[in-house]
Amino acid sequence: MLLKENKIVEKICEIPVTLEDVSENIFEGVSTKNILMHRLILPEESGSDSYYLCEGLCKPVFSEPEIVYPYISGALSEKFACSSPYRFMLPYELSEGDKKKEYNVVPPEELEARFPMAYRRILEFKNQFRHDISPLNSEDYSIKGKKLLEYFNTPKIIATEGYHLQAAYDAVGNSVFGDGCGIVLKDPSKYPYVTAVLNSPIARLFPAVCKSEMIFSDYTAPTVLKRFPIVFPDNRLTENLINTVSSYLVFLNRQKYATHYEVPEWLRELAGFYEQISSLLILDSYFLNDIDPRLLDTLEENIHPYAGDMDSEDSDSLLNALYYIKQQILETSGSGKFKFNMGLPGMLSFPSKQ
């Protein structure tokens, strides 16, 4: 079945359910008055959990790890998994006794007493880069983007834009992000599926749907992203398969980041293979609904969720298992009966082998 590109865009425009409908909130990340006061780089090798480098200066920085959090940057963000060498010093704390979760900046005198390394760093950068020797004021290190703080330590999807939209699932909810959107869903069980959709070829078509809004706002602004069309599969099998493959991809992308060196080609190919399966199932759910039942049977037979936490499992064993599953699927479809390329236009198609 061949769908012309303009027909695909028309079909997307007709989808009634949007990301806003399934989300509790979609919000922007933080911004700072002086990014050098906040953004740090995690050294590849360091025996101290309080030692960092200042981005752009490679200047040693020491700060209490209790107020330093992972920072996600659009240009360097990964699909599916939150991985970044950057850190963000966030001297805020949760207000006690309020019904609504709220974080407030730690006052300077309290910061000096509780987090003296962070206090000295902020004061040093204020003197050095602002040439301001006045006493430290909380406004010097306060942030814009308080909506993120309301959902701090809440599981969320972080959608950023590098070369194109990328979405990562932040299960802990403690990652700070700048450009992009945080997405908190109404139904937590939908996080794997929605993350996969935002990383699928559907995202490449989305700008064509929102041309008018994007004149005044970028791709990952909440006002634009709220219109992202969401279609859930008709059958539970397909959604379960996508959810499971999404968990594979979270693990694989973490492994890619954990190498610290150039990512091995076999690891890229393994991640690409499972991303191809995820995209195939999502595209079929959105447009075709005619995927070969024999291919579904093959995927169901081989793709299974792991019991327990994938992070706690032996990584080599998991990698071997995922490679074995890939080989089993390719061998079953090796006769050409099952094709991954569904005849979609070039902007949506993907190769039959990775």
Side-chain angles (χ1 to χ4, degrees), residues 49-70:
D49 60 357
S50 61
Y51 172 68
Y52 308 93
L53 296 174
C54 177
E55 183 197 14
L57 297 178
C58 291
K59 178 182 175 67
V61 170
F62 290 88
S63 181
E64 289 77 6
E66 302 96 303
I67 56 172
V68 176
Y69 301 91

Side-chain angles (χ1 to χ4, degrees), residues 93-104:
E93 64 180 354
L94 180 65
S95 297
E96 299 292 341
D98 294 335
K99 293 182 179 179
K100 185 177 182 181
K101 187 166 62 174
E102 184 176 334
Y103 282 81
N104 295 311

Side-chain angles (χ1 to χ4, degrees), residues 30-41:
V30 302
S31 62
T32 65
K33 295 178 181 177
N34 183 353
I35 198 166
L36 289 178
M37 293 180 63
H38 296 273
R39 196 152 131 181
L40 310 170
I41 300 175

Side-chain angles (χ1 to χ4, degrees), residues 76-116:
L76 298 171
S77 63
E78 293 285 349
K79 298 178 184 178
F80 293 94
C82 287
S83 300
S84 173
Y86 292 106
R87 295 296 181 266
F88 195 90
M89 191 175 66
L90 194 63
Y92 280 68
E93 64 180 354
L94 180 65
S95 297
E96 299 292 341
D98 294 335
K99 293 182 179 179
K100 185 177 182 181
K101 187 166 62 174
E102 184 176 334
Y103 282 81
N104 295 311
V105 65
V106 179
E109 60 277 7
E110 193 174 334
L111 187 71
E112 183 178 16
R114 294 173 55 193
F115 307 107

Side-chain angles (χ1 to χ4, degrees), residues 203-262:
R204 283 181 246 160
L205 288 176
F206 181 58
V209 178
C210 296
K211 285 181 179 177
S212 58
E213 288 88 342
M214 291 178 65
I215 293 174
F216 306 102
S217 184
D218 63 46
Y219 192 179
T220 51
T223 52
V224 177
L225 203 57
K226 285 177 180 179
R227 285 196 55 194
F228 197 105
I230 296 293
V231 172
F232 292 101
D234 292 335
N235 63 82
R236 188 63 189 172
L237 168 60
T238 299
E239 187 170 346
N240 286 341
L241 286 171
I242 294 169
N243 289 348
T244 301
V245 171
S246 185
S247 71
Y248 291 0
L249 287 163
V250 168
F251 168 75
L252 289 170
N253 281 285
R254 283 178 182 158
Q255 291 302 305
K256 286 164 61 177
Y257 174 73
T259 60
H260 293 299
Y261 304 103
E262 184 177 354

